[in-house]
Amino acid sequence: MTYRDVATKQVLIWACTSVGARMPVAMAPLALVFLVRERAGGYALGAVLAAVYVIGEIIGAPTLGMRLRPDRARSQLAAGLAAGAAGFTGLGALPDAHPVVLGAFACVAGAGPAASAGALRALLTDLVPERAAAQALSTESILVSGIWAVSPAAVTGLALGVAPRVPLLLAAGLLASAVVGLGLLPARWHTQGAEQPGQSPLRLLAAAWPLFVTGAAGLALLGLAELVLPALLEQRGIGVGWSGPMLTGLAVGGGLGAFLYGLRTWPGLLRTRSLVLMCAMTVCVTLVALIPAPAGIAAALAVGGMLQSGVLLVRNLSLRETLPPSLLAAGYSVMYAAAGAGYAATGSLAGALLRVTAPATAILAGVGLTLLLTAVGWWGEVRRGGRSAQGADTVVTLEAAVEGAGSEGAAICGGGDPEGRL
């Protein structure tokens, strides 16, 4: 298996459009902190605005994702991206506005484009042959890892070197460029496939809950390590400034892991791969909490990033197996919201634990919670797989009974002439 099927002009246009749609997401939290940090209580206000932005994403992703229609995808995505651009423009143009006004702009900036990640993923897998789905998803993960590696440095340089409002205005421009890029891509994606008639979209999405639980657990675990990292380094007597390069290594490790995953076909069921990767990732994060040397912490974070990208890829491939094509964008959007909710919960958990315990202990508590969520998700997938197998056996049995009845009828009417020529 190679990436040759992904190296096309359409995928290149998709990549440029995706950068325009995804980079503002990576820039926003830090950019909001820089925007108001010079106010009285600016850091606290910046944290609140970043939280409001994430809440907007969590609400917008499933709400708008459920309303996406493959036959009208481009116009719906363009409207959401335009709304996000308006929100970022308001933040950049009115940095001294009342906090409530800034919060409203931040919520719109987060909610408007929130469904674009899932929709663009569904469109990407439609641009390549079915055999290249894993490579396409790996390419997306590599791209996102690069975005997250570049964004913090870009925000910091522009906010401190030019003006605090510039990163937010840049985010607005990037979203506007994504609207233009959508015009060069197909207006819809295909929906051929088994639609499982008789079941509502909401019921089908609810049946995929184990995938959402595991996806949220994977991001929450590394999110906890990321948020607690500065305090952990201070506890170890290591310069807090090393947190930046270490987190860059985490993002680079994620891109490398995504690339390696797409190079070959891996053995085992998808749920088994997910379980193995999640357990290995918890080992890496446990090492982050226990290793005293900065080189060891950096290595554990980088390997953890590689494993996390594998977890997310397996989750997305599992969604492709679970949901009909017409619901993939909604499924990806719900996964995005679940991951965002996990990250937000992780931030709250980290803040609460750091008040009563050491940073290393806070990380280990997160590891225990992640293992519990992983076990619940795996149990749910095994149970769902068992029900699916029973359903398939029932269908086969009914088909065999119908065929048997048909054979008896043919014999009674003259089974010696199956083609009806007499």
Side-chain angles (χ1 to χ4, degrees):
M1 299 177 69
T2 69
Y3 286 89
R4 190 174 295 111
D5 290 322
V6 183
T8 65
K9 180 181 178 181
Q10 283 288 81
V11 172
L12 178 61
I13 296 173
W14 174 92
C16 295
T17 304
S18 188
V19 168
R22 299 294 289 270
M23 192 164 182
V25 176
M27 295 171 61
L30 186 58
L32 289 169
V33 171
F34 276 114
L35 181 70
V36 297
R37 73 186 184 94
E38 294 182 0
R39 290 189 180 191
Y43 283 111
L45 176 58
V48 171
L49 291 177
V52 170
Y53 175 86
V54 173
I55 290 171
E57 285 189 296
I58 294 171
I59 295 173
T63 302
L64 300 178
M66 284 292 295
R67 287 168 169 75
L68 280 175
R69 296 294 176 265
D71 56 337
R72 295 185 287 119
R74 184 159 62 189
S75 60
Q76 291 178 315
L77 284 177
L81 293 171
F88 278 113
T89 300
L91 289 166
L94 302 171
D96 299 320
H98 191 277
V100 174
V101 176
L102 294 179
F105 281 133
C107 187
V108 172
S116 64
L120 285 171
R121 182 176 299 137
L123 179 59
L124 172 63
T125 53
D126 196 55
L127 292 175
V128 300
E130 179 67 24
R131 65 177 180 273
Q135 286 70 35
L137 293 173
S138 295
T139 300
E140 184 204 25
S141 293
I142 295 168
L143 182 67
V144 171
S145 296
I147 289 171
W148 281 91
V150 170
S151 293
V155 171
T156 303
L158 290 172
L160 298 180
V162 185
R165 68 175 68 191
V166 172
L168 294 159
L169 295 175
L170 174 61
L174 287 169
L175 288 174
S177 72
V179 174
V180 176
L182 284 175
L184 303 176
L185 292 171
R188 54 168 294 162
W189 57 81
H190 298 105
T191 59
Q192 287 87 351
E195 299 296 323
Q196 300 184 35
Q199 296 193 46
S200 69
L202 189 59
R203 187 183 297 273
L204 290 171
L205 286 171
W209 67 265
L211 306 179
F212 303 136
V213 169
T214 309
L219 187 62
L221 179 60
L222 276 189
L224 179 65
E226 177 182 338
L227 293 170
V228 179
L229 182 61
L232 179 69
L233 294 180
E234 189 173 347
Q235 178 192 14
R236 296 279 192 267
I238 303 169
V240 177
W242 281 105
S243 59
M246 287 182 180
L247 293 179
T248 299
L250 172 69
V252 172
L256 178 60
F259 174 76
L260 293 176
Y261 189 92
L263 285 179
R264 54 162 294 179
T265 300
W266 299 89
L269 298 173
L270 287 173
R271 64 172 180 259
T272 305
R273 295 184 221 168
S274 177
L275 179 65
V276 171
L277 289 169
M278 283 295 300
C279 291
M281 193 168 69
T282 59
V283 171
C284 289
V285 177
T286 301
L287 291 176
V288 169
L290 299 179
I291 294 176
I297 295 173
L301 281 173
V303 175
M306 292 176 62
L307 295 169
Q308 186 204 29
S309 65
V311 170
L312 296 179
L313 284 168
V314 170
R315 298 297 80 195
N316 289 329
L317 290 171
S318 297
L319 272 180
R320 285 175 56 82
E321 286 190 353
T322 303
L323 298 177
S326 60
L327 277 181
L328 277 179
Y332 291 143
S333 296
V334 173
M335 179 74 81
Y336 184 83
Y343 194 87
T346 293
S348 301
L349 177 65
L353 290 177
L354 287 176
R355 294 177 182 175
V356 297
T357 188
T361 306
I363 293 177
L364 293 177
V367 168
L369 178 61
T370 300
L371 287 173
L372 176 61
L373 291 175
T374 300
V376 170
W378 182 79
W379 170 80
E381 287 194 76
V382 171
R383 186 182 178 190
R384 189 191 65 201
R387 286 200 303 265
S388 299
Q390 289 176 355
D393 290 342
T394 301
V395 171
V396 170
T397 302
L398 288 173
E399 288 179 349
V402 171
E403 289 177 2
S407 298
E408 291 179 5
I412 292 171
C413 297
D417 183 34
E419 296 181 5
R421 292 178 179 172
L422 294 179

